[in-house]
Amino acid sequence: MRSLPVIAVTVGEPAGIGPDICLCLPDHVRQAPFAAHMVVLADRFLLAERAALLQLPVSLRDWDPSLPPRAGTLDVLHLPLAGPACAGRLDPANASQVLALLDRALAGCRSGEFAAMVTAPVHKGVINDAGMHFTGHTEYLAERTATPRVVMMLVGGGLRVALLTTHLPLREVPAAVTAVALEETLRILHREMGRKYGIDRPRILVAGLNPHAGEGGYLGREEIDVMVPVIERLRDEGMLLLGPLPADTMFSQPVLARGDCVLAMYHDQGLPVLKYASFGHGINVTLGLPIIRTSVDHGTALDLAGSGKADPGSLFVAIEQAIAMARR
């Protein structure tokens, strides 16, 4: 048992569905055991209160790495909230604890205590309302690890969709599509597809920025001036790249069959298709970090918190993928 990898699961926003889905882990493990030992990073009293609200007979145990997993028991690494957390009701006072969970999981991954971290959803707005600048897990973990560039990739529904830019206002996207950003992102994506998925020469489909991939410059010149020179240079190095491709046809089955993953230029170019194909069972993977991090593909769903209606499927898939990556 002690040879099992340890996966840290952060509970995320305490008012959201993160606690609900984490409390579903013991029952899931009884039916389909993970080849790992899970530890949930959360306020233990929050979990106890939410379990009572949901009428879930979950046994909570303080995390002790010397103890093997126990059926029906959720191991908890306790990090206290600043104040009570009510399902569905955000409180900026607890935002610092949300970030503390990430910091503790990250520290454990870097020290070797944990093999990977899996994150339940956070609420960006309430963290910013608390006076802490926060644009997302991906950017936060990159800053904390001093990683100059990371890549967000969502996986599900038979698709792997990576993003060149992430949480940017749409008006700022064209300026962010630079030759340097594209080359660095493609190199990370190429390398990490081998490390995390065992595909050493991945076929990468690259979306254009503009409608019809610029239509020969008539609808924009970013493809001609920025993208094509980078793609051709990396092809000369041996990368298998197809593009720039018109985004409106790139997600058709004949085109997808020619690639192992997709690189979209911005958030809402690639992710609506993936979430349509896999919502509730897709995951988010951060590429380029010195650790393994996967996440659910959904938000805090405040309206579902404490109702018993939250679907934990994405969390289970995120854990399974993290385990597979850790073993690889």
Side-chain angles (χ1 to χ4, degrees):
M1 283 292 192
R2 294 179 185 177
S3 66
L4 291 175
V6 178
I7 308 297
V9 182
T10 59
V11 79
E13 168 53 48
I17 62 171
D20 302 37
I21 60 177
C22 287
L23 287 164
C24 294
L25 281 169
D27 187 59
H28 177 79
V29 168
R30 270 194 292 261
Q31 301 175 50
F34 292 118
H37 191 167
M38 258 67 63
V39 54
V40 173
L41 279 61
D43 184 305
R44 177 173 177 157
F45 301 104
L46 165 69
L47 291 177
E49 290 169 1
R50 193 67 62 86
L53 177 63
L54 295 169
Q55 298 183 338
L56 292 174
V58 178
S59 172
L60 303 177
R61 181 175 68 173
D62 289 328
W63 167 242
D64 182 341
S66 68
L67 298 176
R70 187 171 67 192
T73 297
L74 192 65
D75 285 308
V76 181
L77 198 166
H78 174 67
L79 280 82
L81 289 164
C86 179
R89 192 176 304 166
L90 295 170
D91 184 351
N94 286 323
S96 60
Q97 189 256 11
V98 174
L99 299 185
L101 299 176
L102 298 179
D103 291 339
R104 179 64 180 86
L106 178 59
C109 287
R110 301 193 81 174
S111 70
E113 179 185 9
F114 307 136
M117 63 184 288
V118 177
T119 55
V122 298
H123 193 285
K124 301 179 185 68
V126 75
I127 296 173
N128 282 279
D129 287 345
M132 295 170 280
H133 177 67
F134 184 86
T135 56
H137 278 110
T138 302
E139 297 85 354
Y140 184 82
L141 294 172
E143 180 182 348
R144 281 292 194 263
T145 57
T147 304
R149 183 175 296 279
V150 295
V151 176
M152 177 191 292
M153 183 169 76
L154 270 77
V155 180
L159 301 172
R160 300 185 187 98
V161 179
L163 302 177
L164 180 71
T165 64
T166 54
H167 300 114
L168 281 182
L170 194 56
R171 70 177 63 187
E172 297 178 18
V173 169
V177 180
T178 66
V180 170
L182 181 60
E183 179 173 345
E184 290 179 351
T185 299
L186 284 169
R187 289 189 184 281
I188 292 169
L189 183 55
H190 181 272
R191 181 183 71 240
E192 293 282 78
M193 286 294 291
R195 290 180 177 176
K196 290 185 166 58
Y197 292 95
I199 305 173
D200 293 327
R201 293 197 69 207
R203 301 167 299 161
I204 303 174
L205 309 178
V206 184
L209 172 66
N210 297 296
H212 302 174
E215 201 158 303
Y218 179 72
L219 296 176
R221 292 194 56 86
E222 285 85 357
E223 288 79 8
I224 294 171
D225 297 338
V226 177
M227 302 180 69
V228 168
V230 171
I231 290 171
E232 289 182 346
R233 183 166 65 253
L234 295 181
R235 278 183 190 143
D236 289 341
E237 294 183 14
M239 287 193 194
L240 303 178
L241 307 176
L242 183 64
L245 299 169
D248 62 344
T249 55
M250 183 176 63
F251 288 100
S252 63
Q253 286 303 321
V255 179
L256 288 173
R258 301 171 65 186
D260 297 300
C261 59
V262 168
L263 177 62
M265 294 299 101
Y266 57 94
H267 189 280
D268 283 10
Q269 183 185 57
L271 298 195
V273 178
L274 183 136
K275 291 193 176 187
Y276 174 78
S278 67
F279 193 74
H281 296 274
I283 66 164
N284 184 347
V285 181
T286 306
L287 307 178
L289 291 172
I291 63 155
I292 295 168
R293 179 257 172 168
T294 66
S295 179
V296 297
D297 71 342
H298 56 73
T300 53
L302 296 171
D303 57 324
L304 295 180
S307 70
K309 297 178 180 178
D311 183 352
S314 181
L315 178 65
F316 301 156
V317 176
I319 291 172
E320 289 165 356
Q321 290 278 307
I323 295 167
M325 292 174 191
R327 291 193 174 279
R328 183 173 288 115

